[in-house]
Amino acid sequence: KCDSVVSEISAGPGTVNFTINRELLAKAVLQQVWKDGSEYGVKSELFSTVPRQKAVIEFSSPNIAKKFHIGHLRSTIVGNFIANLKVALGHEVVRINYLGDWGMQFGLLGVGFQSFGNKEKLKSSPLQHLFEVYVQINKAAEDENIKKLAKDFFRKLEEHDEQTLSIWKQFRDLSIEEYIQIYKRLGVHFDEYSGESFYQEKAQEVLKMLEDKGLLQKTIKGTGVVDLSEKKDLSTVSTVMRSDGTSLYITRQVSLSVDLAAAIDRMNKHSWDTMIYVTDKSQSNHFQHLFQILKLMGYDWAERCQHVSFGLVQGMKTRRGEVIFLEDVLNEVRSRMLQNMTSTKTTKEIQDPVETAEKVGLAALIIQDFRGLLSSDYQFSWDRALQSRGDTGVFLQYTHARLHSLEQMHGNAELTDVNVACLQEPDAISLLQHLLRYDEVLYRSSQDLQPKHIVSYLLTLSHLAAVAHKTLPVKGSAPDVAQARLCLFHAARSVLANGMKLLGITPVTQM
């Protein structure tokens, strides 16, 4: 029997067709979007069985005293997305930036600064200056004498010599200050800045624990390894200690004892339910070993650790040539966006074109990055990223701005007196049905932590809204039709904005 939900039932060859009451669809969707606001989709029954958890997410993690490298952009935006999504779903999240702030390179840099450093330059643009010093000292690093000086400097650091430590601390503090400025441009923040330097003593304790548990073995060369092979025949080993007994953080690949110490410390400090590391896929092996050793040490929670890996970005060039620094990319995308905007006639009225260009440009970078599977490498293209038509971040921003100005022009829609019978056109129904699916998309992304589901949802939403904007005019329509359409466009804009914010994009209202 037909009822208030099903308006029509017909049988075809081998099928039964149900037609849902379209007015009910319109009413239910619009009311839900209106009522839940920024929590629309999150309050869905799909999430009712998902327990609220505490997640620690380690992402970005640049090496201090080096300018923010473009290689860290993916880790930063992917980690930020995962954190945003978890927070939206009601989980408690701790965002950690685990800095590469220890190791032999600081021996070199220290000696370099003593030889070529300039205190004024260090204050005004610390990372640029340290980068120049590092390049200079690296050229000289073949010299045995320089090598010896660098070793001595690092040894003094390890022995907590006050003067050496204060130089190192200055490098670290100034680096973080400059990073915070870049994170601000990306709309990213951290709850905690930690680093390899925090875990020096603790790494020694971990080595002792491994020894006490009989897990640490010495090779003929005197290196400390943990046997990870199934047959215990040393066919798969993980190195945790160098032969000279010093800890291993010369590169991230062998900084296992330090990472073990960090993981154990975070569990004690935050007692998390899940810990997620966001780094490129070349480090998959490292994390596999890390989790395996934690398990061997008797930490069951190692199973709740997760490595979200991603591929590499190729072909990031600015007009000046090959790019390595993130700042250059952000400046480039902003200037290209400004250029594109100035060529359109509506830009003149924008209050702050530079700020707008920055937000639109960042959307372009993020959408191009998030369209595919994170584990895939992709070829970056400026032209593709900055197209205003097509599946780009610029198109999302443009759609949001258009829908916003529609509301500005016609006053805000009030839901109370909407006549949903006015929303029966196919383009209105397509848009309503799409809005209804938002929770499924959030659910899929929450399961596999891939942003692409949300990206393709928002692109489709924008295309549907653009079509409806053409075929369902507000201006010149009867008052109740205009009101109903405004309400529909308001719902579309609201969901579009919610989704963009999850991805780390700030929606603009003018373009």
Side-chain angles (χ1 to χ4, degrees):
K1 289 190 178 71
C2 294
D3 58 12
S4 60
V5 180
V6 177
S7 61
E8 201 181 306
I9 306 169
S10 63
T15 61
V16 182
N17 304 314
F18 297 94
T19 305
I20 300 294
N21 176 339
R22 289 182 159 192
E23 288 187 24
L24 184 78
L25 168 77
K27 197 171 172 179
V29 173
L30 294 179
Q31 271 180 345
Q32 205 63 50
V33 175
W34 201 271
K35 191 173 111 236
D36 293 346
S38 63
E39 291 187 328
Y40 175 70
V42 171
K43 285 186 160 179
S44 160
E45 286 167 34
L46 283 178
F47 296 105
S48 58
T49 56
V50 180
R52 301 274 180 266
Q53 291 187 325
K54 183 168 190 180
V56 164
I57 304 174
E58 176 197 302
F59 63 105
S60 197
S61 308
N63 297 317
I64 69 158
K66 289 190 177 167
K67 284 191 66 141
F68 201 102
H69 194 281
I70 192 65
H72 296 284
L73 174 65
R74 272 201 111 170
S75 172
T76 308
I77 59 180
V78 172
N80 188 46
F81 158 71
I82 294 172
N84 290 345
L85 182 63
K86 289 203 172 282
V87 168
L89 298 174
H91 302 292
E92 190 184 340
V93 170
V94 182
R95 302 161 183 248
I96 295 183
N97 197 344
Y98 184 66
L99 302 166
D101 63 356
W102 203 247
M104 232 8 240
Q105 73 267 28
F106 289 100
L108 255 185
L109 192 63
V111 173
F113 192 72
Q114 285 165 344
S115 324
F116 315 112
N118 174 324
K119 283 186 174 151
E120 293 311 304
K121 280 186 182 168
L122 183 67
K123 283 258 164 27
S124 62
S125 55
L127 295 181
Q128 185 59 40
H129 183 52
L130 289 175
F131 174 67
E132 286 157 8
V133 167
Y134 196 66
V135 170
Q136 267 178 296
I137 191 72
N138 255 338
K139 282 182 192 148
E142 297 308 302
D143 181 355
E144 285 306 314
N145 194 26
I146 295 280
K147 272 187 191 157
K148 192 183 161 308
L149 286 172
K151 259 193 171 140
D152 288 347
F153 190 96
F154 187 55
R155 201 195 63 247
K156 282 185 187 164
L157 262 186
E158 298 232 273
E159 290 166 358
H160 297 273
D161 169 69
E162 268 183 32
Q163 197 191 348
T164 321
L165 263 181
S166 84
I167 295 178
W168 169 84
K169 196 176 173 326
Q170 197 182 7
F171 292 167
R172 189 179 192 276
D173 293 347
L174 290 168
S175 298
I176 292 177
E177 266 173 49
E178 196 166 322
Y179 287 151
I180 287 174
Q181 291 314 308
I182 291 201
Y183 288 130
K184 224 186 218 143
R185 286 182 72 175
L186 292 170
V188 172
H189 71 276
F190 291 92
D191 302 304
E192 202 175 290
Y193 280 84
S194 88
E196 297 171 351
S197 60
F198 287 111
Y199 296 108
Q200 296 327 302
E201 273 97 44
K202 290 199 168 102
Q204 299 306 317
E205 290 166 30
V206 166
L207 291 172
K208 195 173 176 327
M209 280 163 80
L210 287 169
E211 208 165 6
D212 295 346
K213 289 182 192 281
L215 295 168
L216 189 66
Q217 302 188 26
K218 289 270 170 63
T219 62
I220 304 157
K221 290 180 184 163
T223 319
V225 298
V226 176
D227 186 0
L228 297 174
S229 60
E230 278 183 31
K231 296 179 179 162
K232 297 294 165 221
D233 56 3
L234 294 174
S235 56
T236 314
V237 296
S238 190
T239 308
V240 289
M241 190 174 82
R242 285 181 36 248
S243 55
D244 57 6
T246 58
S247 37
L248 275 182
Y249 21 67
I250 300 312
T251 66
R252 181 71 191 257
Q253 269 57 38
V254 278
S255 62
L256 264 168
S257 55
V258 183
D259 282 356
L260 288 165
I264 296 165
D265 179 58
R266 285 175 198 169
M267 188 61 188
N268 295 338
K269 188 170 162 189
H270 297 294
S271 53
W272 44 262
D273 299 297
T274 169
M275 177 154 64
I276 298 169
Y277 295 87
V278 185
T279 71
D280 72 78
K281 59 187 178 189
S282 70
Q283 299 193 18
S284 297
N285 229 359
H286 171 84
F287 286 104
Q288 228 172 333
H289 287 181
L290 178 69
F291 305 158
Q292 264 176 294
I293 296 173
L294 285 166
K295 223 163 155 182
L296 287 173
M297 290 173 80
Y299 294 115
D300 300 340
W301 47 256
E303 299 194 347
R304 305 203 303 270
C305 292
Q306 191 180 353
H307 176 215
V308 173
S309 63
F310 51 82
L312 302 171
V313 185
Q314 286 127 358
M316 272 265 190
K317 287 186 171 72
T318 63
R319 294 192 171 119
R320 294 208 309 257
E322 201 54 59
V323 57
I324 28 179
F325 301 132
L326 179 62
E327 224 175 331
D328 299 336
V329 171
L330 292 179
N331 294 342
E332 176 96 2
V333 75
R334 184 173 64 192
S335 75
R336 286 188 186 230
M337 224 26 255
L338 259 176
Q339 212 176 350
N340 293 2
M341 279 163 51
T342 15
S343 60
T344 58
K345 53 188 180 303
T346 51
T347 308
K348 299 181 187 51
E349 301 110 51
I350 293 184
Q351 272 113 28
D352 191 344
V354 177
E355 176 87 349
T356 302
E358 174 113 331
K359 286 174 182 160
V360 177
L362 186 58
L365 288 179
I366 290 176
I367 295 300
Q368 171 140 298
D369 196 289
F370 283 178
R371 281 191 60 194
L373 263 177
L374 292 179
S375 55
S376 316
D377 302 341
Y378 76 91
Q379 195 68 33
F380 180 83
S381 145
W382 285 110
D383 296 336
R384 210 174 52 234
L386 297 175
Q387 278 169 1
S388 56
R389 296 271 179 267
D391 292 341
T392 63
V394 182
F395 175 57
L396 291 185
Q397 289 283 30
Y398 176 68
T399 307
H400 184 272
R402 266 180 87 184
L403 293 174
H404 184 268
S405 70
L406 186 71
E407 285 178 56
Q408 294 305 93
M409 265 162 33
H410 300 284
N412 287 344
E414 281 303 320
L415 187 71
T416 40
D417 49 359
V418 166
N419 177 3
V420 286
C422 301
L423 295 172
Q424 300 305 301
E425 299 86 355
D427 292 337
I429 299 297
S430 305
L431 193 49
L432 287 162
Q433 283 176 323
H434 193 64
L435 290 172
L436 196 55
R437 296 194 185 105
Y438 185 53
D439 59 345
E440 296 168 32
V441 174
L442 291 182
Y443 186 75
R444 277 176 69 185
S445 279
S446 74
Q447 293 297 296
D448 64 7
L449 302 182
Q450 295 284 338
K452 70 182 182 104
H453 311 303
I454 295 174
V455 170
S456 71
Y457 175 87
L458 295 179
L459 289 166
T460 303
L461 176 64
S462 297
H463 286 296
L464 291 171
V467 170
H469 189 264
K470 274 201 193 82
T471 62
L472 309 173
V474 173
K475 196 179 174 183
S477 300
D480 57 342
V481 176
Q483 189 66 0
R485 288 175 180 175
L486 258 185
C487 211
L488 175 65
F489 289 126
H490 169 81
R493 184 185 68 81
S494 165
V495 174
L496 178 58
N498 294 347
M500 286 163 80
K501 286 175 192 160
L502 285 181
L503 298 172
I505 296 170
T506 307
V508 300
T509 52
Q510 296 175 301
M511 223 175 117

